[in-house]
Amino acid sequence: MSTTEAGGMDRGGPYERYYAEREASGERTVLWPWLFLALVVPLLLARSFTVSDDSAQATATHEATSPAPSGEVAEGVYRSGFDVVPGTWTTVGPLAGTGCGYVRSAPDGVEIARAVLHGPGAARIADGESVVFTGSCVWTAG
């Protein structure tokens, strides 16, 4: 016994009883809302992806403010080879009762390493990586 009618609509599954009751009472499924949505939604989507002819204007520009990579840094976001020198960075640790740490990320943004320190520590930062130093530590290039 097939549950598909001549119209191609599958009447089986969890809605089989619903369709059987509608058919027995002579009711038909109303299709106009679905047809309306099938026509209007693509038009709205197409409009949202349309690019205007107006030229884009920059809202902000980034200029290199660091003349050269630094050898001592505190809390902040840094890029190796630009803001800080690549290599091993060390710290004597955070102030008493506080903590600090770092998160290293590859050039594509994937996290490589993460650490939380409550004492002396070191981080090896390769060229091109980004590092986020957090807390009260002062980091020095070694």
Side-chain angles (χ1 to χ4, degrees), residues 49 61 83 97 107 114 117 120:
F49 290 108
T61 58
D83 300 316
R114 169 185 298 257
L117 305 171

Side-chain angles (χ1 to χ4, degrees), residues 36-103:
F36 176 74
L37 287 174
L39 294 173
V40 172
V41 169
L43 291 174
L44 292 174
L45 288 175
R47 182 178 171 165
S48 67
F49 290 108
T50 302
V51 178
S52 68
D53 291 337
D54 299 335
S55 61
Q57 295 180 4
T59 56
T61 58
H62 176 71
E63 295 180 17
T65 54
S66 300
S70 176
E72 185 173 294
V73 296
E75 187 171 29
V77 179
Y78 304 96
R79 189 173 57 184
S80 178
F82 183 75
D83 300 316
V84 294
V85 293
T88 303
W89 285 77
T90 58
T91 181
V92 295
L95 301 172
T98 65
C100 66
Y102 67 88
V103 177

Side-chain angles (χ1 to χ4, degrees), residues 16-53:
E16 185 173 5
R17 181 176 171 197
Y18 169 77
Y19 287 118
E21 289 173 357
R22 286 184 64 84
E23 189 174 336
S25 67
E27 295 180 49
R28 294 184 51 178
T29 303
V30 179
L31 294 178
W32 73 264
W34 298 109
L35 294 174
F36 176 74
L37 287 174
L39 294 173
V40 172
V41 169
L43 291 174
L44 292 174
L45 288 175
R47 182 178 171 165
S48 67
F49 290 108
T50 302
V51 178
S52 68
D53 291 337

